[in-house]
Amino acid sequence: MPDVPRVYHPRDRDIPARSEHAPDHLDGLNPEQRAGATAMGSPLLIVAGAGTGKTRTLVHRVAYLIESGTRPERILLLTFTRRAAQEMLSRVERLVGAQGRHVQGGTFHGTAHRLLRTFGPAAGLASDFSIMDQADAEDLMQVGRAHSGVAAKNKRFPKKETLHYLYSRHVNTEKSLHHLLHEEYPNFVEYEEEIAKIWADYTGRKSDRNLVDYDDLLLFWTLLLEQAPDLAARISGLWDHVLVDEYQDTNALQSRILRGLAGAHGRITVVGDDAQSIYAFRGATIRNILDFPGQFPGTRVVTLEQNYRSTAPILECTNTLISRARERYTKELRTAREGGEKPWLVAARDEAQQTRFVADRILELHEEGIPLREMAVLFRAGYMSADLEIELARRKIPFDKWGGLRFLEAAHVKDVLAFLRILENPRDEVSWYRILMLMPGIGEQTARAAIGSMADMAWTSGAFGRFAPPPRARNAHASLVQLLELLRVGAAPDDSQVSRDIARVRQMYDSLLREKYDRPEPRLADLDQLQVIAAGYPSRQAFLSAIALEPPSGTQDLASGADEEDDVLVLSTAHSAKGREWDVVFLIWAVDGYFPMARALGDADEEEEERRLMYVATTRARNHLFVTYPLQAYNTRRGADYTLDQLSRFLDRGVRDTMERVALGENDVPAAELAPPPTTVDLRALLRGRFGA
DNA sequence: TTTTGAAGTCTCTCC
DNA sequence: GACTTCAAAA
C-alpha cells in the first residue's frame, strides 16, 4: 500500500524501473525522502513522523542500493513483523524487478533463528534445538519454581509469568534482577536469591532439553558477534548494508547486535519515530534512536515531516494529541491534504450502541463506495472487540482480526502441537506433561512419575512404553503408546507430512475434545485450520519454528488463505495496526481505564506510552476518523461490576476542540431497555410453581 | 494417595 | 475463559 494516497500520486508500479545514474523512480520523492533514499558514505538515521513516507523511503533506498550495484542478497532488511518485511520486499520487486526478491529480511528473532541453525553448532549449540514460545517458557519456569519448594512455603512468591517476565526484562534491558525488583516489584525484593536460583535452574533445563527461548535467540546472536571473533566476521560479512525499520521499538540487545553487524563499516540505516514508541513493555527504549549518532560516529540525520497520509483536520487532531507528550523530539507534521471532515468524537450510551454505530457506519461508507479493506476498527486490547465481532458476524460483514496470539494460545491447539513437539524433541518435558495430563486417569503424580522414568531411560524412543503405569492409568497409557508408535512409523527424516501427523493425533484427541466441551465445533475447526497451515511446510521442524516466530495473525486470516485480494474489514489492536493505514479508522473504547488501560495509570512512563499508542492508532486514518466511547462501560465479566464513565484523559479539551462532537440519540433503543419498569411478577416463584419445588 | 470437579480469581500490548 | 485452590470421590 503506498504511503501516498493513490489519487494524488502515481503508484510505484506505474513508474518504469530504469537503472540510470539517477533512477526515475526517485522523481516521486520529496527532497528529504530523496536524501534518505540516496545518502551514502555514513551511517544514516531517518527520523520519520507518522505517514511521512518512511516505508516508501526505505523501499526506494533498497532499490537505489541494488541499482548502484549492491547484490540484493547482500542487503539485510530488519523489520518488526513478517508482514512488514513481505510488503517492503514486494514493493522493492516492483521497482527493480525479480532480483528484489533476493533481499534478505525478516524480524530480528527470525533472522537470529536462521543464523543460529547455521552458526550455532560451531559454538556448542545443537542445531536441532526447539524454539519455545512465551507460554512454553513460562511452563518451564514453573518446573523450576515447583522444584525449588519456595513457592509452596510462601503464598506471596512470584508466579511463573512474573518470574519469566523478570527474566526476559533482565535479558532485554540488561538491568540486574536486584534493580528490576526494586523498580517494579518491591514486594518481591526479599526473594531475590530464590529467583536467581530458579533462573539458574531454568537456564540449566533449557540446556539439558535443547530448548531456546525468544530471548536466547537475540542473546546468542549478540554473544556470537561479541565473543567469537571468527564467527562474528563470518556473520557480519554476510551483508554489505543493514537497514532497520521501526527502530524506536528495538531494545538494548538489538542495538548491540547492530553494532556487531555494522559497527565496523557503518553501512547501516535505521528509521524510526520516537512519538510511536509503544513497546517499552518488551524492553524497547527510545534511547536507541537518541544514542544512535553517538554509537555510530559520523551519522547523518534526515528528518521527514511532510505527512502525505491524513487530511488536515485529522492531522490537527493527532498533532494536538501528541503535543501533550512529556518528551518529544520530532517536530509537528505538515500536510498538503487540505479539506476533509473533522474527526468525530462519538458518545454512545453503552457498548451495544457503540457497536451499532460502528456497524451502521461501516455499511453506509461501504455503500458510498469505500471497500471494506479500506476500513479498520482499532482498540486497546483484543477482547474489546468481542461484542462487535458478534454483531459483524450477524450482519454478515467479513472481517480479519489482527493481533493477539489467540489461535496458537488456545488450549486445544497447544495440545495438538505438544504431540508434534515430543516427536521432534523427545526430551521436551513441558510437552510431555501437557499430553499426559490430558489422559483420563493420569494426574500430576502419574505424569511426573512417567517423565522421571523416561529421563532415567535417557529419553529413548520406547521409554514411555516401558513405563509401568498405576492400574487406573493403564488404558490411557496403552492408547498413548499405540498413538506414538503410529506417529513414529512414518517419521522418516525427510517426512513432509506434518498435517498427516496432526490427523493421526486427532484420531485420539478429537474424542477427548468432544467430551471436554459442550460446543467442540469451533475448536475442531481450529484444528482443521492447523492442518491446512501445516500442509504448507516442508518439515515438522520448519513448521514448529515458524509458528513460534511468525504466528498467524488471526484465524480468519488462515481460513481465507490469500486474503489480500478479498474485501475484508480489519479489526486490530492498536499495536498490530502500527505501520498500516486505512481510508477510514474507528477507534472504539476511548474510555479512561480502557485506553489508557487502568493498570498503566500510576506510572508516568507507562501512561506516556499509552498516549503514544493512541497517537499511533489515530494516525492510521487517511480521510475519516471516528473515536467512540460508551458513557456506561460496565465490566460485566465479573460479579463486582464497576463503571468507567470517563472519556479517555488523552482527549482533553484542546483535543476535543479539533473534533466534531456527536451524541447518539436514544431513539434507536427501546425505552424499556433503558429502565425496566418494576413488576410484581416473581420469576423464581413461577419456576418453583412449575416444578413443584 | 491421587484424580477430578466445583468454586473463586483476574484478564494488555508481541517476538 | 483460563487458571488456581480446595474439597470430595475413587
Side-chain angles (χ1 to χ4, degrees), chain A residues 416-436:
Chain A
V416 170
L417 290 177
F419 282 93
L420 301 184
R421 288 202 155 114
I422 58 163
L423 291 176
E424 194 60 30
N425 180 359
R427 292 180 289 170
D428 185 340
E429 66 183 300
V430 171
S431 295
W432 268 113
Y433 184 74
R434 179 167 198 109
I435 291 169
L436 291 167

Side-chain angles (χ1 to χ4, degrees), chain A residues 683-693:
Chain A
L683 296 172
R684 291 285 176 205
L686 288 175
L687 210 58
R688 280 196 296 273
R690 176 159 174 190
F691 291 99

Side-chain angles (χ1 to χ4, degrees), chain A residues 343-361:
Chain A
W344 287 25
L345 180 59
V346 181
R349 189 175 43 74
D350 54 15
E351 178 173 20
Q353 198 182 35
Q354 172 179 258
T355 294
R356 226 166 8 238
F357 167 77
V358 172
D360 287 348
R361 202 81 188 95

Side-chain angles (χ1 to χ4, degrees), chain A residues 13-35:
Chain A
R13 66 158 160 262
D14 299 330
I15 304 170
R18 293 226 306 267
S19 38
E20 302 298 325
H21 286 302
D24 289 348
H25 66 75
L26 294 174
D27 291 348
L29 303 183
N30 70 29
E32 291 78 27
Q33 291 175 333
R34 204 180 160 107

Side-chain angles (χ1 to χ4, degrees), chain A residues 41-68:
Chain A
S42 63
L44 180 64
L45 166 62
I46 302 177
V47 179
T52 55
K54 154 179 81 73
T55 307
R56 187 178 171 82
T57 303
L58 211 47
V59 164
H60 281 266
R61 184 170 180 81
V62 172
Y64 184 78
L65 286 172
I66 293 173
E67 283 164 346
S68 309

Side-chain angles (χ1 to χ4, degrees), chain A residues 334-407:
Chain A
R334 315 175 297 266
T335 181
R337 300 198 53 210
E338 295 301 332
E341 65 179 10
K342 281 184 173 181
W344 287 25
L345 180 59
V346 181
R349 189 175 43 74
D350 54 15
E351 178 173 20
Q353 198 182 35
Q354 172 179 258
T355 294
R356 226 166 8 238
F357 167 77
V358 172
D360 287 348
R361 202 81 188 95
I362 285 170
L363 288 177
E364 284 171 35
L365 290 163
H366 187 51
E367 283 183 12
E368 288 171 20
I370 299 176
L372 288 176
R373 82 178 90 86
E374 281 300 337
M375 297 189 245
V377 184
L378 308 182
F379 31 83
R380 177 63 182 84
Y383 65 84
M384 293 179 189
S385 66
D387 189 60
L388 181 64
E389 287 173 45
I390 294 167
E391 181 67 12
L392 291 172
R394 200 179 66 72
R395 300 202 195 187
K396 306 218 183 325
I397 301 174
F399 63 90
D400 278 351
K401 184 161 173 186
W402 292 0
L405 304 170
R406 222 159 275 90
F407 179 67

Side-chain angles (χ1 to χ4, degrees), chain A residues 528-584:
Chain A
D528 290 340
Q529 281 179 9
L530 192 67
Q531 271 178 268
V532 172
I533 308 165
Y537 287 89
S539 72
R540 195 162 52 214
Q541 188 194 69
F543 173 61
L544 290 174
S545 298
I547 56 174
L549 291 170
E550 296 156 356
S553 49
T555 46
Q556 298 283 328
D557 210 29
L558 305 165
S560 51
D563 42 298
E564 291 301 316
E565 307 303 318
D566 298 341
D567 192 25
V568 173
L569 174 75
V570 168
L571 306 191
S572 174
T573 60
H575 280 90
S576 294
K578 187 161 64 91
R580 298 301 303 245
E581 60 180 65
W582 293 270
D583 273 350
V584 183

